[in-house]
Structures are given as structure tokens and as C-alpha cells.
Amino acid sequence: GNKLIMVHREGSSIFIWNEIPKKDNQLPDVVLGSKVVFDEWGRSGIGRVGMNNPNIATTDGKRLIVSDSGNNRILIWNNIPTVNQTPADVVLGQSDFDSNSPGSSLDKLDNPMQVSTDGKRLVVADQSNRRVLIWKTIPEKNGQPADFEIKIINHSKNIADLPPTAQLSLIGGVYVNNDKLFIGDTGNNR
């Protein structure tokens, strides 16, 4: 729609404008994070409201989904918030909103950097684990594990033929659209 959503990574906040600004220095309509700050740094937090180094925000026009990298989790709001400090509805990568330990199973994350949705599926680039996690439907429960992961991309049919660069490295972006998945494998220049 007409909304503008911006991540203030170092300030651990998300800024939402209900309409694209038409003048300089127009403040956002909604601020998400543990404190409403515009010019301060390092206000990290945890829980249903706080964030620690959020990296990417995405939306399908209804939901807001944020990679909260420093807390090793993904936060999902079932509706794009219209009020400051609106608590998230769902957390992925952790069993609850107060945990932030890293992990490598399908229900844990370690430094999730990128996130994308097409309104049906959810795709997350889990940076430290060098993988992309896929949920076939948008998760509705805390700690819901991914349906599967992608760690190796190669056209060889024989696993023994895989070169060392076959494993994803430094995933620069993920994007899902029209039943296609795009992965920026920047560590392998592809």
C-alpha cells in the first residue's frame, strides 16, 4: 500500500509511516522497540516489544515480519501495528519471547539476517548457520520449526562432486515471489 517501513538497526527500532512522507524530517506514525528513540543508539531489548539489532522488515500487506538478528529470532505481527510499542504476536527461532540463545535445529536460529514472504510462505536467511529456512505456510505458533532448510546449492547430482563453495556463505538476500525463490549467495559470488 502507501506505508513506509524502515528498520533502525542500531537503535533496535522499527519506524512505520502510514503514508509515504511528502516533506523532510517527517516523524513516523508508529515506532516499535523497547523505547521510542529517534537519535539514540543501542537501546536493545527482548520480550514481545524489545529488539536487538533488527536487520530486515518485510510485509505481505497484512502482517509485519522482522528479523531480530541480535536475539536470534523472527518476530511476526499478524497485523501491521498502528500503535507504538505494539507487542509481536509470534516468535520464531525461540520457544518464547524471553529467550535468545542461538541454535541450528529447524526450530532455532543463529543471526537471522534476511526475511521474505509472499503472503503464503516465509523464507529466512539464517546467517551463522549458512542456510535458508522455509516455512510452507506463515507460522502461527511460537517456536514453530521450519518445514525444511537449504544449505547446499549445486547442479551436480553426485554429492562427492560438490566443491567447497557448494555450501551457502554470507547470504546477502532472500526473496520469494510467484513460486520462485531467489538467494544472494554473496560469500560465493553468486
Side-chain angles (χ1 to χ4, degrees), residues 9-64:
R9 188 173 51 217
E10 291 84 2
S12 294
S13 301
I14 305 296
F15 300 151
I16 302 172
W17 287 263
N18 291 328
E19 293 183 1
I20 304 294
K22 295 178 173 64
K23 61 182 181 177
D24 291 342
N25 302 319
Q26 187 174 332
L27 294 177
D29 298 298
V30 178
V31 178
L32 303 175
S34 58
K35 297 187 187 244
V36 178
V37 294
F38 299 104
D39 57 358
E40 295 182 25
W41 302 82
R43 297 290 188 146
S44 61
I46 197 164
R48 289 183 66 203
V49 176
M51 288 174 267
N52 181 4
N53 199 26
N55 198 57
I56 294 289
T58 190
T59 182
D60 59 4
K62 177 184 173 190
R63 297 172 197 86
L64 175 65

Side-chain angles (χ1 to χ4, degrees), residues 32-33 46-51 64-66 68 73-79 81 83-92 96-97 140 142:
L32 303 175
I46 197 164
R48 289 183 66 203
V49 176
M51 288 174 267
L64 175 65
I65 304 170
V66 174
D68 185 15
R73 65 187 187 170
I74 300 296
L75 296 173
I76 300 175
W77 285 261
N78 291 329
N79 295 292
V83 176
N84 289 341
Q85 312 325 64
T86 300
D89 296 301
V90 177
V91 62
L92 302 175
D96 58 58
F97 287 98
E140 296 179 358
N142 291 343

Side-chain angles (χ1 to χ4, degrees), residues 146-160:
D147 293 300
F148 62 94
E149 67 182 15
I150 297 171
K151 289 183 116 175
I152 297 175
I153 297 179
N154 193 288
H155 295 289
S156 174
K157 292 181 182 177
N158 183 354
I159 194 75

Side-chain angles (χ1 to χ4, degrees), residues 92 105-108 134-135 139 141-148:
L92 302 175
S105 58
L106 291 177
D107 64 341
K108 295 292 281 182
I134 312 278
W135 284 263
K141 295 183 215 169
N142 291 343
Q144 186 173 330
D147 293 300
F148 62 94

Side-chain angles (χ1 to χ4, degrees), residues 130-183:
R130 299 171 67 168
R131 65 183 179 171
V132 173
L133 294 173
I134 312 278
W135 284 263
K136 293 179 183 177
T137 59
I138 304 295
E140 296 179 358
K141 295 183 215 169
N142 291 343
Q144 186 173 330
D147 293 300
F148 62 94
E149 67 182 15
I150 297 171
K151 289 183 116 175
I152 297 175
I153 297 179
N154 193 288
H155 295 289
S156 174
K157 292 181 182 177
N158 183 354
I159 194 75
D161 293 339
L162 295 176
T165 60
Q167 186 167 1
L168 292 172
S169 177
L170 194 57
I171 304 163
V174 293
Y175 182 67
V176 61
N177 189 18
N178 292 330
D179 293 327
K180 291 183 174 47
L181 174 63
F182 303 88
I183 300 172

